[in-house]
């Protein structure tokens, strides 16, 4: 069985709850590759992948060898492991960790994360830029030699795991900041959660410069699949919570889009629909490949309270085609 088939067959959720014991055991069997380089750890609710790759590009421009890992992927698993800005050999990376991962019954995310850390060590990178998966404290990425932590933002998501309030969620995310780390925050709202750490206000550029210890005179243009991806007559974005949807709307031109969307049943469906309505009056409901996705017909029923024209098309590819027929520009989300 290929690495891709093996991973695809797994549930992304740990059977026995979140924790670091299994991840630490797996990395120990590999010789603790995550300790071979310092890291920038990117946490937050939205925008982590774009921030991660932006930091990667800035550090590459500064002459460093850089490994980076992001999630989720859009088109292929290989998007998740990058060395010097290029996708690594994903099959080979997973093969390096497969036997101990099977023996320890590691989760899908733990396996990919360990494979990334090993690939970085094999490439002898000078720096790793690592996007956290869920939260921070008990996330599989919280095992690094962290030099800089970047918090992109905090929104209400995964409240069953991270807490019911923004303060609780921020606490879980910023738990990745060890003593001695520099913490880059968007503002001072959660500065009290990292006492004793040097705090810098800013974003991806400030995080890269904090790691390098000097200004970086480069202005990379970062474009990732499914992250405000612009195509002819179409925009694709992976906004998956109300905060993400609000940010998406701020980037759009006009309010006459045809929206084609799938929404997971465990998300704030009403909140998402209420915000997306501001992008346009036409809505095509569909269903992604996730087993958690609402059926297209059910999503359409819920959307009728918000949109003037609503249709349901089960197949996502056909749904996008139908959306273009109803009127461009099309927003796929």
């Amino acid at each position: 069985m290929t690495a891709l088939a093996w991973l695809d067959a797994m549930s992304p959720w740990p059977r026995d709850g979140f924790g670091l014991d299994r991840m630490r055991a797996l990395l120990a069997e590999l010789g603790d590759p995550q300790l071979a380089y310092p890291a920038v750890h990117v946490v937050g609710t939205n925008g982590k992948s774009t921030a991660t790759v932006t930091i990667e590009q800035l550090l590459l421009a500064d002459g460093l060898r850089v490994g980076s890992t992001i999630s989720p992927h859009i088109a292929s698993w290989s998007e998740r492991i990058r060395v010097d800005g290029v996708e690594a050999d994903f099959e080979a990376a997973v093969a390096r960790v497969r036997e101990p991962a099977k023996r320890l019954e590691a989760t899908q995310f733990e396996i990919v994360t360990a494979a990334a850390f090993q690939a970085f060590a094999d490439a002898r990178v000078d720096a790793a830029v690592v996007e956290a998966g869920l939260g921070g404290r008990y996330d599989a990425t919280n095992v690094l030699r962290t030099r800089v932590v970047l918090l992109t933002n905090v929104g209400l998501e995964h409240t069953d795991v991270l807490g019911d309030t923004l303060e609780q969620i921020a606490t879980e995310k910023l738990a990745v900041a060890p003593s001695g780390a520099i913490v880059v925050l968007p503002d001072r709202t959660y500065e009290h959660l990292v006492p004793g750490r040097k705090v810098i206000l800013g974003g991806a550029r400030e995080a890269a410069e904090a790691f390098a210890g000097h200004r970086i005179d480069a202005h990379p243009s970062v474009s990732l699949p499914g992250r405000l991806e612009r195509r002819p007559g179409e925009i694709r974005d992976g906004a998956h919570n109300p905060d993400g949807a609000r940010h998406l709307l701020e980037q759009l031109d006009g309010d006459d889009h045809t929206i084609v969307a799938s929404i997971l049943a465990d998300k704030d469906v009403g909140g998402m629909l209420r915000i997306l309505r501001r992008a346009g009056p036409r809505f095509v409901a569909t269903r992604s490949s996730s087993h958690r996705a609402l059926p297209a017909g059910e999503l359409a029923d819920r959307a009728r309270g918000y949109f003037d024209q609503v249709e349901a098309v089960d197949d996502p590819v056909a749904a996008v085609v139908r959306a273009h027929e109803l009127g461009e520009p099309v927003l796929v989300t």
Side-chain angles (χ1 to χ4, degrees):
M1 183 185 292
T2 67
L4 300 182
W6 180 50
L7 289 170
D8 278 334
M10 293 181 179
S11 167
W13 301 102
R15 290 188 300 273
D16 52 355
F18 291 90
L20 293 174
D21 291 346
R22 187 172 46 237
M23 184 64 179
R24 291 191 186 282
L26 173 56
L27 291 169
E29 291 213 17
L30 299 172
D32 284 319
Q34 79 284 4
L35 302 181
Y37 38 77
V40 179
H41 205 168
V42 180
V43 298
T45 301
N46 293 303
K48 295 192 296 295
S49 292
T50 300
T52 298
V53 176
T54 300
I55 296 167
E56 168 209 87
Q57 292 296 308
L58 286 164
L59 294 179
L60 285 172
D62 201 45
L64 301 182
R65 295 213 72 193
V66 184
S68 65
T69 178
I70 64 173
S71 65
H73 63 274
I74 301 297
S76 73
W77 280 97
S78 59
E79 295 169 24
R80 295 189 182 222
I81 305 177
R82 295 159 59 102
V83 175
D84 288 344
V86 178
E87 292 177 4
D89 184 333
F90 188 82
E91 285 278 350
V94 172
R96 291 273 277 116
V97 307
R98 187 166 178 170
E99 287 310 311
K102 288 170 65 175
R103 188 166 58 254
L104 291 166
E105 298 184 332
T107 68
Q108 188 185 70
F109 187 70
E110 289 166 348
I111 293 164
V112 176
T113 302
F117 293 167
Q118 184 65 61
F120 301 162
D122 291 344
R124 298 187 176 183
V125 301
D126 302 307
V129 190
V130 176
E131 174 181 351
L134 191 154
R137 185 189 306 275
Y138 298 116
D139 189 73
T141 60
N142 191 21
V143 291
L144 298 161
R145 279 177 51 206
T146 302
R147 182 181 295 177
V148 176
V149 172
L150 169 65
L151 176 70
T152 58
N153 48 56
V154 179
L156 287 174
E157 189 182 32
H158 300 299
T159 53
D160 56 328
V161 177
L162 302 179
D164 296 322
T165 68
L166 294 176
E167 179 89 2
Q168 290 173 328
I169 292 171
T171 300
E172 291 302 301
K173 293 181 183 298
L174 287 171
V176 304
S179 60
I182 299 171
V183 181
V184 182
L185 302 174
D187 55 47
R188 298 196 180 279
T189 304
Y190 301 113
E191 185 176 14
H192 63 284
L193 297 177
V194 284
R197 279 74 161 181
K198 180 180 179 180
V199 171
I200 297 173
L201 300 186
R205 172 172 294 280
E206 287 75 19
E209 293 178 342
F211 183 93
H214 54 254
R215 290 191 62 186
I216 299 175
D217 188 20
H219 301 276
S221 177
V222 172
S223 178
L224 293 174
R227 281 86 167 183
L228 205 66
E229 178 186 359
R230 298 184 184 273
R231 297 181 171 212
E234 183 179 302
I235 296 174
R236 298 184 177 188
D237 190 79
H240 55 281
N241 51 49
D243 284 339
R246 288 187 197 96
H247 177 72
L248 170 59
L249 257 66
E250 292 170 0
Q251 317 306 313
L252 300 180
D253 297 322
D255 58 1
D256 192 33
H257 295 74
T258 300
I259 296 96
V260 54
S262 172
I263 302 179
L264 303 184
D266 55 1
K267 298 294 183 181
D268 181 359
V269 179
M272 293 281 286
L273 292 172
R274 185 165 52 252
I275 294 165
L276 290 173
R277 172 61 183 87
R278 294 173 7 219
R282 301 171 300 279
F283 187 88
V284 180
T286 190
R287 185 174 192 174
S288 74
S289 58
S290 171
H291 70 279
R292 294 155 56 207
L294 281 174
E298 184 177 339
L299 179 57
D301 288 342
R302 297 180 69 168
R304 289 191 174 93
Y306 301 93
F307 295 86
D308 299 340
Q309 183 177 358
V310 176
E311 297 186 12
V313 180
D314 287 325
D315 178 69
V317 175
V320 172
V321 171
R322 179 56 180 153
H324 279 276
E325 292 172 351
L326 293 176
E328 296 180 350
V330 169
L331 172 61
V332 185
T333 192

